[in-house]
Amino acid sequence: MSPVPTFARRPQFNSTLRWLLPVVLVLLFLTILIWLPWQAREMESNERQEQLIADTLWVEQTIRFQLGRDEESLRALGADIVNGHLSQNQLRERMAQLLSNGHELLRVQWIDPQGRMLIGSDDGAPLSEASRTAADIARRTHNALYAQPEAQNPDPHAPPAAVLMDYHAPLYRGGAYLGNLVATYQVSALLEEMVPWWFAQENQISLTDRDDRVLARRAAAGPGHGVYTHKRALDLPGVNITLVTDSVKSAPRLLPNLLVGSVIVLSLGLLWSLLALWGHITRRLAAEGALRQQMSFRTAMENSLVTGLRARDLEGRVTYVNPAFCQMVGYPAEELIGKLPPMPYWAPEAMAEYQHRFAAVLAGTVTPQFETIFQRSDGTRVPVLIFEAPLVDKDGRQTGWMGSILDISDRKRIEELNRQQQEKLQTSARLATMGEIASMLAHELNQPLAAISSYTTGALNVLGRAEASGAPVDGAMLKPALEQASAQAQRAGQIIRSVHAFVKKREPLREEVTLPALLDGIRALIELQARRFYVIIHTELAPDLPPLRIDRMMIEQVLLNLTRNAIEAMAHIPPQRRVLTLRAAYDAAAGQVSVAVIDQGHGIPQDVAERLFSPFFSTKAEGMGMGLNICRTAIEFHGGALTHRANPDGGTIFTFTLPAVPVATLTGET
Ligand code: ADP
């Protein structure tokens, strides 16, 4: 038994049967087509032959009958001669009558036992050798018989001019032999007189002797073809004469008529078209196979995709969705395909946005890439990133839109986590910075407080003195002291306020701020740091600086970090070089404002530069190593960049850029 299971063989068997059956049927059809005309020809041929035989028999019977009648007349005449009833004249008359009744007869005569003519219908002629032999036999046998006719023509196939055949009837009166009554036939006249014209029309008729020599021939309307012939012996006493008929008809042709021809042409056409069809079907099957394979490949690919796919026609009707998309929105494909907006997965809060975008789609324009939210069937929201591209058919006509949709929930979550982490870091960094400056703050606040204290003491002294002397209080003396005290108190308050605002943790908030205003807000803190190391601050701001849309606190933090680093880098260089320059310029072409923090400190060696922005990298004993990292994040958050390079005058230049019109952010801000 074969180890191959039946189900594995069946398709092959089926395909073999599929092409074998039509082939066998077509072959059978062709065989019958070829056999049919051949069979028809055979039948026609047989029919013609049978017809010829029947006609030949009929002719033979006619000749036999006429000869029989002649024989009968001669016998009657012979009887009258033997009885002696007739005078010579009467005998001649009877002979003439015989001739007129049968045109095949040339003459009738009575010859004596020596063969000489006694009485004849004409002058007579000497008997031929064969005739004499026949006369002798007749005399001996007492029976009438025919003499063998002789062809005079040496050519055995050409008909002789005139072949004569004698019929001898012996005359006996009692035992006395009275000679013979001889009738001479012209053999050709037998054919002329006795064969009907219609038969002669279609058949060449010959009479031949025993050696097949032609004795007489009656030609037909056309030449005989030797195809349908028949021979029939005339069966006359004493002589061998055969009646030969040869039909003018030739063998029936295989393609006798237009019908058979056209049937064959049509079948050849049929065969050709079958072959063409077969070839076409084979090619089609191959193409279908390839297509099926491609389809299953495509389906497998679509099913394995994590990206959702959605096709829409030009009216916005959904024409296709893949399993990933269905999973993403929580609706089965049947509920989505054929749907026109509003879609079941549109979130009510974003409906206006969808409608706006859909109107753009109908107008023939799509945003190639955008973020939005979908509402799942269970009501939960899923943030998605959508890429749209036109769907073009094989003629290059656009038939709709194809969108690939990415579920960006995870990305959003990670972004949010990052953001929170960054904020925490910023907060702790702020706290660390605050820790460092807390002591300086105490020192700085000491100064205004001491000043306030001394101004108020002075004022109190003035008041005390006036009270003791009884003189009125001199307001002009008190006023400057109180004004100074108030100014110092305000300065202390400003220091405390800026620190408070700096430490407070809060959500990013964009507002329109000009750079000078920003610097003014933190100038006191920067100066506080600078004063510690006797650093001079230079500010060079371009006059055309546009306002920025920024999170003020973040950028303040950046500036504070950069200025603190710059100041610290100049802690151990000669005091005259301790200059901190803040330079801001507007690059209208690039649409951005650049701010440079320039120091003339110790500079940044190569190995430090490589790790500068790494978190917790610091070369300082009590440094946290988070400052630059936070700065860069904050700048990039605003769509700018933070870079550094060596200062040609010694030290370092840190530069950050900020877009003059900030772009929409990619974070969760709405
Ligand atoms: P921290 O100041 O706490 O050390 P930062 O991230 O602000 O952390 O700075 C990392 C390191 O980069 C510093 O320790 C210092 O070595 C170097 N650095 C930063 N700014 C400057 C500067 N303007 N000049 C020289 N070195 C600097």
Side-chain angles (χ1 to χ4, degrees):
M1 220 185 103
S2 162
V4 181
T6 335
F7 63 81
R9 276 166 153 201
R10 187 153 292 281
Q12 200 199 343
F13 173 74
N14 273 347
S15 73
T16 312
L17 197 70
R18 199 168 49 213
W19 65 260
L20 196 67
L21 201 65
V23 166
V24 168
L25 285 176
V26 166
L27 284 180
L28 202 66
F29 176 69
L30 280 180
T31 315
I32 289 175
L33 266 183
I34 292 169
W35 176 76
L36 264 182
W38 181 81
Q39 179 65 16
R41 191 182 71 145
E42 278 300 288
M43 281 168 67
E44 194 180 333
S45 181
N46 284 346
E47 204 176 303
R48 283 184 188 179
Q49 183 67 37
E50 277 165 16
Q51 183 65 43
L52 181 73
I53 291 171
D55 290 349
T56 309
L57 274 175
W58 192 86
V59 170
E60 186 233 356
Q61 288 302 319
T62 309
I63 295 174
R64 288 281 303 119
F65 177 74
Q66 186 60 36
L67 288 178
R69 263 181 47 186
D70 288 348
E71 284 170 18
E72 196 58 40
S73 304
L74 283 172
R75 202 166 29 245
L77 185 61
D80 287 346
I81 291 172
V82 169
N83 292 334
H85 291 158
L86 300 172
S87 65
Q88 283 200 359
N89 278 342
Q90 278 177 319
L91 187 57
R92 272 200 194 92
E93 213 170 288
R94 288 279 296 275
M95 285 177 175
Q97 202 178 352
L98 268 176
L99 287 188
S100 68
N101 282 347
H103 293 291
E104 65 278 5
L105 282 171
L106 185 67
R107 86 170 59 90
V108 180
Q109 56 184 331
W110 177 15
I111 56 168
D112 65 7
Q114 283 73 43
R116 288 182 303 255
M117 187 177 85
L118 295 173
I119 297 175
S121 61
D122 60 7
D123 295 343
L127 296 178
S128 68
E129 182 66 34
S131 191
R132 275 198 298 275
T133 312
D136 195 35
I137 295 169
R139 183 178 59 83
R140 279 190 280 113
T141 58
H142 293 228
N143 282 326
L145 81 160
Y146 289 89
Q148 185 66 41
E150 278 182 7
Q152 266 104 53
N153 202 322
D155 180 357
H157 298 296
V163 175
L164 303 179
M165 178 177 74
D166 290 345
Y167 176 72
H168 289 265
L171 301 175
Y172 278 95
R173 185 180 295 148
Y177 175 58
L178 303 181
N180 286 347
L181 192 59
V182 180
T184 303
Y185 288 92
Q186 193 164 358
V187 179
S188 62
L190 284 178
L191 298 180
E192 299 296 338
E193 295 299 320
M194 295 178 199
V195 175
W197 66 268
W198 54 265
F199 186 77
Q201 190 77 12
E202 290 189 356
N203 299 282
Q204 175 183 279
I205 310 145
S206 312
L207 288 171
T208 58
D209 66 6
R210 60 172 163 250
D211 300 325
D212 279 345
R213 275 182 305 206
V214 175
L215 301 172
R217 169 170 291 166
R218 182 163 172 190
H225 287 91
V227 179
Y228 301 110
T229 58
H230 191 63
K231 286 183 179 175
R232 185 80 199 169
L234 277 184
D235 197 19
L236 300 175
V239 71
N240 282 319
I241 293 183
T242 309
L243 177 68
V244 180
T245 47
D246 180 357
S247 173
V248 293
K249 289 178 183 162
S250 59
R253 273 172 301 148
L254 190 59
L255 302 177
N257 54 39
L258 198 64
L259 188 70
V260 176
S262 51
V263 165
I264 288 189
V265 168
L266 282 179
S267 4
L268 285 177
L270 177 75
L271 193 67
W272 177 82
S273 48
L274 267 178
L275 284 175
L277 190 68
W278 194 352
H280 179 72
I281 287 176
T282 314
R283 278 196 303 278
R284 215 195 159 95
L285 281 178
E288 265 178 25
L291 198 68
R292 251 198 305 277
Q293 203 173 351
Q294 244 185 10
M295 273 299 286
S296 48
F297 173 75
R298 213 192 79 166
T299 312
M301 193 175 74
E302 285 167 4
N303 292 348
S304 69
L305 271 183
V306 290
T307 310
L309 292 179
R310 172 196 64 185
R312 292 183 292 176
D313 63 15
L314 289 173
E315 290 164 16
R317 189 178 287 107
V318 174
T319 54
Y320 167 80
V321 283
N322 75 338
F325 184 82
C326 295
Q327 211 176 358
M328 208 178 282
V329 294
Y331 289 97
E334 307 82 66
E335 279 187 38
L336 298 173
I337 288 174
K339 266 249 147 73
L340 271 169
M343 298 300 177
Y345 49 80
W346 282 11
E349 65 270 22
M351 203 59 91
E353 177 199 332
Y354 298 139
Q355 295 286 13
H356 175 72
R357 207 170 275 127
F358 181 62
V361 167
L362 289 186
T365 50
V366 289
T367 326
Q369 177 187 342
F370 59 91
E371 278 181 30
T372 186
I373 46 166
F374 280 167
Q375 177 180 262
R376 285 206 177 93
S377 53
D378 60 7
T380 53
R381 303 292 195 266
V382 47
V384 287
L385 177 61
I386 300 182
F387 300 88
E388 293 254 42
L391 202 58
V392 174
D393 70 5
K394 62 179 176 12
D395 303 324
R397 255 197 328 263
Q398 185 184 349
T399 57
W401 302 95
M402 175 56 104
S404 43
I405 296 105
L406 282 179
D407 179 350
I408 50 170
S409 316
D410 289 342
R411 203 183 89 184
K412 282 281 177 201
R413 229 184 342 270
I414 290 167
E415 271 176 13
E416 180 57 22
L417 268 178
N418 269 348
R419 194 182 64 83
Q420 285 173 3
Q421 226 155 18
Q422 285 294 338
E423 260 180 44
K424 274 187 199 149
L425 273 174
Q426 282 180 10
T427 312
S428 45
R430 268 195 297 271
L431 288 173
T433 313
M434 285 313 298
E436 282 175 41
I437 61 176
S439 56
M440 291 184 292
L441 198 60
H443 171 73
E444 281 303 313
L445 284 177
N446 223 11
Q447 237 185 335
L449 286 176
I452 290 168
S453 168
S454 65
Y455 285 130
T456 47
T457 310
L460 281 173
N461 285 343
V462 171
L463 280 176
R465 270 202 302 275
E467 216 173 284
S469 63
V473 178
D474 184 1
M477 276 190 69
L478 273 182
K479 199 182 172 201
L482 289 176
E483 276 174 354
Q484 283 299 326
S486 159
Q488 289 300 325
Q490 268 175 19
R491 194 180 145 215
Q494 197 185 5
I495 291 170
I496 288 165
R497 259 199 313 282
S498 66
V499 170
H500 174 75
F502 186 75
V503 177
K504 203 172 73 184
K505 175 186 180 302
R506 53 186 239 321
E507 291 292 311
L509 180 71
R510 284 176 190 270
E511 55 185 306
E512 220 159 85
V513 191
T514 59
L515 202 63
L518 185 87
L519 280 176
D520 286 344
I522 52 169
R523 191 178 296 277
L525 285 172
I526 298 172
E527 280 172 358
L528 208 59
Q529 294 169 340
R531 208 165 301 144
R532 206 169 127 207
F533 298 107
Y534 310 103
V535 172
I536 296 167
I537 300 171
H538 273 175
T539 314
E540 298 171 10
L541 302 180
D544 60 344
L545 288 177
L548 302 167
R549 242 178 78 76
I550 50 169
D551 183 291
R552 185 181 186 135
M553 293 299 296
M554 277 192 188
I555 304 303
E556 281 179 356
Q557 169 109 34
V558 170
L559 274 168
L560 279 173
N561 275 334
L562 294 180
T563 50
R564 193 201 58 193
N565 279 345
I567 290 164
E568 285 175 355
M570 294 187 285
H572 304 293
I573 58 156
Q576 66 275 12
R577 284 183 55 80
R578 295 183 196 171
V579 180
L580 169 69
T581 311
L582 293 173
R583 188 179 292 153
Y586 175 51
D587 180 354
Q592 57 190 18
V593 171
S594 67
V595 181
V597 179
I598 305 161
D599 68 61
Q600 302 193 82
H602 53 64
I604 302 177
Q606 185 55 35
D607 57 329
V608 174
E610 280 164 15
R611 303 162 61 199
L612 210 56
F613 294 98
S614 311
F616 307 109
F617 169 75
S618 175
T619 56
K620 299 167 194 166
E622 50 317 320
M624 254 184 77
M626 282 307 296
L628 286 179
N629 181 276
I630 290 169
C631 289
R632 191 168 63 173
T633 309
I635 294 298
E636 285 175 359
F637 168 82
H638 282 83
L642 172 64
T643 54
H644 70 93
R645 62 194 156 95
N647 185 355
D649 300 332
T652 313
I653 303 177
F654 273 87
T655 311
F656 64 85
T657 55
L658 288 171
V661 183
V663 290
T665 63
L666 284 174
T667 66
E669 189 196 8
T670 51

